[in-house]
């Protein structure tokens, strides 16, 4: 296995000595040093480092200008800024030129090693030196190389921490899920949580799930989470994007559809092969709409503990509840669009139903962590209807059955909204999950001429 090249850039010799001493603990790393940004650019051109630890304030050329030049010439080089400054404008500027993450002063030696090991593993993964992450934790039964549906990391040792760190950097930094300053905070928070759990000899699990627009990362402890002051500061920076409930912490990360290095990418006369490939991969990801039935079974099993509606509504707050209750305005439109489709069963009318009501429901519900599976089901159904509309309108029997199922789905959504958010009288907020997924699978079966198993109501638990 070839060594990764690490360049340490700092005008203060003592700082370079400290960083080199820390980084010497890394296996399979070759290290060089530069005294300023200009020398860093020159060394990069000759040596092509994989990772650069870049100071900001330096003579001749500062870290910002050096990073901008290096990222323009060698976008695959990972640049980690080492700074004591937490200025949001600086982080925004660094993010725009492609800086990947930060190491904050005073330096946390263990955190530096965790970040470098995670980034190094991500680089080796792309180079083919590591083919996959640990397969023992994969839930997907169809393809162990596909990790975008749901993954579980059992954090039992340092190696499993590195597995998660590698995945986090590879997914977030390379696919523009979050800006570099925010990614740095996320890495730090999960690192501290994992270290705390390991220190207390707890069994930790990290569950990763994705919708079309967001990634959800949930860490589960055996005992109640104890938040250190630094953890609280990080959580406050993210506000509603993190939820902490007893022994569970969940992060909701949006997938920003942006290209890295946007400031100087426009200056190039042609797109690189790597950029073209990223665009193609992004298009492919957006076109994967439906999940196999086994994956839907996993979605339906996501919540095993009962939560009563009154406690749930009290926890999430009034603004979100108001948004859900406002969905009542779609009830009449749901019926009207179905009636229009029944009278004129055209591709266009079915697509209008999917866009006008299903997509609106899915978008609103997607903000609720506990109902991510429901939002996923409605989103998948809407896209499926739009893609397969031409197949349905050709068969009068399918049209009749589809309308009946969509009417039942609408009634279920009304009951879901009423008994959880309005009356708050159900003992289990997931009492209708089984019915929702049964309806979606039946609709898929009708369109694809598969057998339909509707005997699913026996599993439902009503209030």
């Amino acid at each position: 296995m070839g060594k990764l090249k690490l360049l340490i850039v700092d005008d203060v010799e003592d700082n370079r000595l400290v960083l080199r001493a820390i980084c010497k603990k890394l296996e399979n790393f070759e290290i060089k040093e530069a005294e300023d940004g200009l020398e860093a650019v020159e060394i990069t051109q000759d040596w092509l480092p994989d990772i650069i630890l870049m100071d900001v304030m330096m003579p001749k050329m500062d870290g910002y200008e050096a990073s901008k030049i290096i990222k323009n010439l060698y976008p695959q080089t990972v640049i980690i800024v080492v700074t004591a400054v937490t200025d949001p404008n600086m982080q925004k500027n660094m993010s725009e030129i492609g800086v990947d993450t930060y190491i904050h002063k005073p330096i946390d030696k263990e955190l530096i090693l965790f970040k470098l090991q995670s980034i190094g593993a991500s680089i080796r993964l792309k180079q083919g030196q590591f083919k996959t992450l640990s397969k023992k934790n994969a839930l997907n039964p169809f393809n162990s190389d596909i990790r975008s549906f749901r993954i579980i990391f059992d954090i039992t040792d340092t190696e499993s921490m590195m597995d998660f760190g590698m995945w986090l950097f590879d997914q977030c930094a390379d696919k523009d899920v979050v800006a570099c300053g925010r990614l740095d905070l996320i890495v730090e928070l999960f690192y501290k949580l994992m270290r705390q759990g390991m220190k207390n000899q707890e069994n930790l699990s990290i569950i990763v799930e994705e919708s079309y627009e967001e990634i959800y990362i949930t860490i589960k402890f055996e005992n109640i989470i104890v938040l250190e002051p630094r953890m609280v500061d990080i959580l406050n920076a993210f506000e509603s994007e993190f939820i902490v409930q007893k022994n569970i912490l969940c992060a909701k990360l949006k997938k920003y559809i942006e290209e890295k290095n946007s400031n100087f990418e426009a200056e190039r006369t042609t797109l690189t092969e790597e950029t073209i490939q990223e665009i193609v991969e992004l298009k492919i990801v957006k076109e994967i709409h439906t999940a196999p039935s086994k994956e839907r079974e996993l979605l339906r099993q996501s919540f095993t503990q009962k939560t009563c509606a009154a406690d749930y509504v009290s926890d999430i707050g009034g603004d979100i509840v108001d948004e859900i209750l406002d969905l009542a305005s779609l009830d009449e439109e749901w019926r009207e669009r179905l009636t229009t489709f029944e009278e004129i069963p055209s591709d266009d009318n079915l697509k209008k139903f999917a866009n006008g009501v299903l997509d609106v429901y899915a978008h609103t519900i997607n903000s609720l962590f506990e109902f991510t599976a429901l939002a996923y089901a409605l989103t998948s159904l809407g896209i499926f209807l739009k893609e397969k509309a031409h197949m349905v309108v050709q068969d009068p029997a399918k049209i009749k059955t589809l309308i009946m199922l969509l009417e039942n789905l609408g009634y279920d959504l009304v009951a879901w909204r009423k008994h959880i958010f309005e009356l708050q009288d159900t003992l289990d907020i997931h009492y209708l999950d089984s019915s929702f997924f049964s309806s979606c699978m039946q609709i898929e079966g009708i369109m694809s001429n598969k057998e339909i198993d509707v005997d699913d109501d026996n599993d439902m638990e009503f209030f």
Side-chain angles (χ1 to χ4, degrees), residues 159-205:
E159 182 179 354
S160 58
M161 288 177 61
M162 290 305 109
D163 263 352
F164 174 69
M166 174 177 66
W167 177 88
L168 185 62
F169 182 82
D170 183 50
Q171 294 293 310
C172 294
D174 200 41
K175 296 182 181 178
D176 292 325
V177 175
V178 290
C180 64
R182 293 165 63 80
L183 173 59
D184 177 71
L185 294 177
I186 292 167
V187 171
E188 182 177 353
L189 176 62
F190 276 98
Y191 168 78
K192 288 183 178 298
L193 288 168
M194 288 188 293
R195 291 288 296 177
Q196 182 183 97
M198 294 284 290
K199 182 178 179 180
N200 296 335
Q201 297 183 331
E202 291 189 61
N203 292 323
L204 304 181
S205 293

Side-chain angles (χ1 to χ4, degrees), residues 113-153:
L113 292 175
F114 174 74
K115 289 184 177 182
L116 289 174
Q117 287 170 325
S118 299
I119 293 168
S122 175
I123 292 171
R124 291 191 174 100
L125 178 66
K126 295 171 188 175
Q127 294 174 346
Q129 295 182 36
F130 297 157
K131 292 185 179 180
T132 61
L133 297 179
S134 297
K135 294 182 180 179
K136 61 183 180 181
N137 290 325
L139 289 184
N140 172 24
F142 300 98
N143 186 345
S144 60
D145 290 334
I146 296 176
R147 305 184 300 277
S148 60
F149 176 66
R150 182 174 178 180
I151 321 163
I152 291 181
F153 295 90

Side-chain angles (χ1 to χ4, degrees), residues 300 306-309 408-409 411-420 424-439 454-463:
R300 295 171 63 193
K306 293 182 181 180
T307 302
C308 72
N408 289 335
L409 178 61
Y411 294 146
D412 281 345
L413 286 170
V414 171
W416 170 82
R417 193 181 65 233
K418 179 179 179 180
H419 288 286
I420 295 176
Q424 301 176 26
D425 59 359
T426 177
L427 300 178
D428 182 10
I429 62 174
H430 297 287
Y431 75 98
L432 273 177
D433 286 3
S434 179
S435 179
F436 288 132
F437 281 100
S438 175
S439 298
V454 297
D455 188 22
D456 214 310
D457 290 344
N458 293 333
D459 295 332
M460 295 167 58
E461 177 178 344
F462 292 92
F463 29 83

Side-chain angles (χ1 to χ4, degrees), residues 47-108:
W47 194 49
L48 299 178
D50 298 290
I51 305 172
I52 300 177
L53 293 177
M54 181 75 73
D55 187 29
V56 178
M57 303 303 294
M58 295 181 292
K60 296 185 180 179
M61 181 183 291
D62 62 28
Y64 177 81
E65 290 300 326
S67 298
K68 184 175 181 180
I69 293 171
I70 291 170
K71 274 294 189 179
N72 195 12
L73 293 173
Y74 311 103
Q76 74 281 1
T77 301
V78 176
I79 296 181
I80 305 173
V81 169
V82 183
T83 179
V85 180
T86 57
D87 178 17
N89 290 329
M90 184 195 75
Q91 292 187 349
K92 180 177 182 293
N93 293 335
M94 288 290 189
S95 178
E96 287 175 349
I97 66 174
V99 168
D100 298 272
T101 187
Y102 288 87
I103 290 175
H104 293 276
K105 299 177 182 177
I107 290 173
D108 183 330

